[in-house]
Amino acid sequence: MVKLDLKAELKEFYHATAKKTVLVDVPEMNFLMVDGTGDPNTSTRFQEATEALYNLSYALKFMVKKGRTGVDYKVMPLEGLWWTDNPAEFSLEGKDRWHWTLMIMQPDLVTPLLFEEAFLQVKEKKGQSILPEIRLASYNEGLAVQTMHIGPYSEEDTAIARIHSFMEVKGYLPAGKHHEIYLSNPQKTSPQRLKTIIRQPVKRV
């Protein structure tokens, strides 16, 4: 059995520290993705999307493990892209206006055919209505600034401010959707210990 450590292979993009803000060049990767709108704290769709993404990701993991490749790997963390129609309205106080794409990174071993098989398996077992909206797609983020936020999601302002300060000093402008990578399970971790990578795609001024 081959053990694939995706986090270690992609350490630059899935490990960070609150002590540093850094520039990274994120390669194209494949994700399970689904879209939605509204406050994640009150949105039923957000919770359904999270559950469905994990159900599919674990189904795919076990299919790969039992397949001819014999490769095992840990399911990657949940990630979110966040934006508003008017960028000036993007703030923690206006979550009801947020648009989001939730996603979980998948190894190259996950093919479109395997995705279809996993979809049918999860649909039969779980019957989640949001499943048909989930897609397997590539995402090429490219150049971005990132740092770590430790604490409640509602207190990310400080980390975001560090990112924008770094951008201003280094001569970058925002060039994509606000990106968060949730390294902690909020159901098992106290709010003060939650670890979230905050990332902002950028371009040169």
Side-chain angles (χ1 to χ4, degrees):
M1 178 67 65
V2 177
K3 297 282 187 178
L4 186 62
D5 191 339
L6 296 171
K7 273 191 178 180
E9 290 186 8
L10 299 166
K11 184 176 180 179
E12 183 179 4
F13 315 111
Y14 287 93
H15 289 77
T17 171
K19 296 179 180 179
K20 292 178 64 177
T21 302
V22 299
L23 188 69
V24 292
D25 193 358
V26 188
E28 184 174 3
M29 292 184 273
N30 294 326
F31 293 85
L32 294 182
M33 311 173 82
V34 65
D35 306 317
T37 302
D39 187 339
N41 296 313
T42 58
S43 170
T44 301
R45 180 178 176 83
F46 185 88
Q47 301 305 321
E48 291 174 347
T50 301
E51 183 180 352
L53 284 172
Y54 274 116
N55 286 338
L56 269 174
S57 292
Y58 276 102
L60 287 163
K61 164 192 164 68
F62 292 121
M63 283 182 173
V64 170
K65 184 177 179 179
K66 293 178 181 179
R68 286 179 294 177
T69 58
V71 174
D72 191 19
Y73 62 90
K74 290 184 178 180
V75 169
M76 292 293 277
L78 183 70
E79 306 184 36
L81 304 177
W82 303 89
W83 71 100
T84 52
D85 293 329
N86 179 358
E89 295 179 349
F90 187 77
S91 69
L92 294 176
E93 291 73 36
K95 292 182 179 181
D96 57 317
R97 295 189 293 273
W98 285 5
H99 300 290
W100 45 261
T101 297
L102 285 183
M103 53 195 200
I104 297 178
M105 184 268 178
Q106 304 295 313
D108 292 337
L109 293 165
V110 173
T111 64
L113 179 59
L114 204 62
F115 169 68
E116 291 297 329
E117 292 178 9
F119 166 79
L120 293 174
Q121 183 184 106
V122 175
K123 181 181 179 182
E124 182 178 348
K125 290 182 178 180
K126 303 291 184 177
Q128 295 167 303
S129 60
I130 200 171
L131 277 172
E133 298 180 51
I134 296 178
R135 61 192 182 276
L136 175 65
S138 63
Y139 183 62
N140 190 0
E141 193 162 34
L143 204 61
V145 177
Q146 73 178 27
T147 191
M148 174 74 81
H149 167 66
I150 300 177
Y153 303 131
S154 59
E155 296 179 6
E156 292 176 353
D157 287 30
T158 302
I160 294 172
R162 291 202 306 270
I163 284 178
H164 284 275
S165 177
F166 180 98
M167 289 164 54
E168 184 176 354
V169 170
K170 300 293 185 179
Y172 290 98
L173 290 173
K177 297 169 182 175
H178 175 85
H179 188 168
E180 299 185 359
I181 302 173
Y182 308 106
L183 301 180
S184 307
N185 182 342
Q187 296 179 343
K188 298 180 179 179
T189 309
S190 68
Q192 297 302 324
R193 293 181 177 272
L194 291 172
K195 293 184 177 180
T196 308
I197 294 177
I198 309 293
R199 185 184 295 162
Q200 174 59 59
V202 295
K203 62 181 178 182
R204 276 288 185 184
V205 173

